[in-house]
Amino acid sequence: MIRIVNRKIQRLKISKKYMKLMYWFHKTFGEKYLGDLGFDFKGKPSRIEIVQKIIDIKKYKNYLEIGTFNNELFNSIKCENKIGVDPERGGTHRETSDNFFLKNTKNFDCVFIDGLHHYKQVKKDIQNSLKFLNPNGIILLHDCLPSNYFLQAIPRCQWEWNGDVWKALVEFRSNNSCDTYTCYADQGIGIILKRKNKNPLEIEIKDFSKIKFNTFFKNHKTLMNIIDYENLLKII
């Protein structure tokens, strides 16, 4: 019964009428529109290519994907052991990531996070993934580079949407024990390596959920530690 209710709520949140209402809410009460950063990912490697390349280079055996949805990525990845977690569809485990991690006993080499695109949930998914990440492992996050305010606004207000994943990555950029980057490809691929941070972000903020998009708009290169695909392959 709870699952049925949750499905109806999720469907409501992506309905045209609801998102139109949220768009006008953000336009009226949200941050002043700053324009568009113009991120252009055409010709850049896809997340499928990036994930598979890393797995092949590092000879990883254990892959976890959070938020499999229609299995576009999950079915494309070749790895000895694969687990996909999604409460609605795809993957191998039909449950929330929170429930999965509560019961999980396995460690992973590569974790791809593409579930609920809300800062607090993304942060939890990163923290839980770090607990089960092998020492030489990597965490990847999708949708880290929104071009404009509406693409990252919470609640969601349009079909094309990144969410505020970027806030979670900024927080881990300030963590000395996590080496964190953003690859300029496929809506922005966040990278977290379980090692000393080579370029820690110095920022005075206690609650990262309250960072304004205005700050991201003006300082995204520094905040996100943006690198290209070639440099990604070098740092791993």
Side-chain angles (χ1 to χ4, degrees):
M1 183 64 182
I2 295 176
R3 180 176 291 181
I4 294 174
V5 172
N6 286 335
R7 283 179 179 174
K8 288 184 177 179
I9 291 173
Q10 293 306 315
R11 286 171 184 167
L12 171 64
K13 288 182 177 180
I14 59 173
S15 67
K16 289 183 178 179
K17 289 183 178 179
Y18 178 84
M19 286 198 285
K20 185 176 181 179
L21 177 64
M22 290 300 101
Y23 176 85
W24 286 107
F25 169 81
H26 288 301
K27 194 172 180 64
T28 303
F29 301 106
E31 293 182 58
K32 181 180 178 181
Y33 188 62
L34 300 165
D36 197 288
L37 286 166
F39 292 132
D40 184 4
F41 303 107
K42 293 178 182 177
K44 304 294 183 183
S46 70
R47 58 191 180 279
I48 296 172
E49 181 179 347
I50 291 172
V51 174
Q52 191 63 60
K53 187 70 171 180
I54 292 173
I55 288 174
D56 292 344
I57 289 175
K58 304 293 286 185
K59 294 181 170 42
Y60 285 152
K61 302 294 184 183
N62 301 291
Y63 172 73
L64 169 65
E65 184 173 322
I66 297 171
T68 51
F69 191 55
N70 60 4
N71 276 339
E72 180 182 357
L73 175 62
F74 189 75
N75 283 351
S76 301
I77 296 303
K78 295 178 177 61
C79 192
E80 189 172 312
N81 302 302
K82 297 197 303 182
I83 290 179
V85 180
D86 194 293
E88 294 297 327
R89 66 182 75 173
T92 57
H93 288 57
R94 187 67 61 248
E95 58 186 330
T96 65
S97 57
D98 289 348
N99 287 342
F100 169 78
F101 282 118
L102 281 175
K103 299 179 292 183
N104 178 59
T105 58
K106 298 179 180 179
N107 282 1
F108 302 95
D109 302 307
C110 180
V111 180
F112 190 88
I113 298 174
D114 194 17
L116 183 62
H117 288 36
H118 291 195
Y119 157 76
K120 290 184 179 179
Q121 185 59 50
V122 176
K123 179 180 176 180
K124 286 171 67 177
D125 286 338
I126 294 172
Q127 290 172 326
N128 283 326
S129 296
L130 284 169
K131 294 176 184 176
F132 297 100
L133 190 69
N134 285 325
N136 194 36
I138 189 170
I139 296 172
L140 303 168
L141 300 92
H142 195 218
D143 291 294
C144 292
L145 293 177
S147 281
N148 60 57
Y149 172 76
F150 298 107
L151 278 167
Q152 58 86 63
I154 304 291
R156 182 176 183 171
C157 65
Q158 58 185 42
W159 183 251
E160 186 181 356
W161 184 67
N162 303 115
D164 59 353
V165 178
W166 65 271
K167 295 181 180 180
L169 201 72
V170 170
E171 181 165 353
F172 281 86
R173 280 269 293 112
S174 65
N175 187 325
N176 287 323
S177 61
C178 293
D179 200 18
T180 308
Y181 307 80
T182 307
C183 181
Y184 189 81
D186 201 340
Q187 301 301 316
I189 304 296
I191 304 123
I192 298 177
L193 298 159
K194 202 173 182 179
R195 66 189 187 195
K196 184 178 179 180
N197 196 337
K198 295 181 180 180
N199 183 25
L201 176 68
E202 295 183 5
I203 185 170
E204 294 183 6
I205 187 166
K206 293 182 178 180
D207 187 351
F208 285 84
S209 69
K210 295 181 179 179
I211 306 178
K212 299 295 184 182
F213 183 71
N214 176 60
T215 302
F216 175 90
F217 191 89
K218 295 178 179 178
N219 306 283
H220 58 277
K221 291 181 180 179
T222 300
L223 291 176
M224 306 304 288
N225 201 17
I226 298 176
I227 59 173
D228 58 23
Y229 176 61
E230 289 70 25
N231 279 321
L232 165 60
L233 298 182
K234 290 178 181 178
I235 67 168
I236 63 169

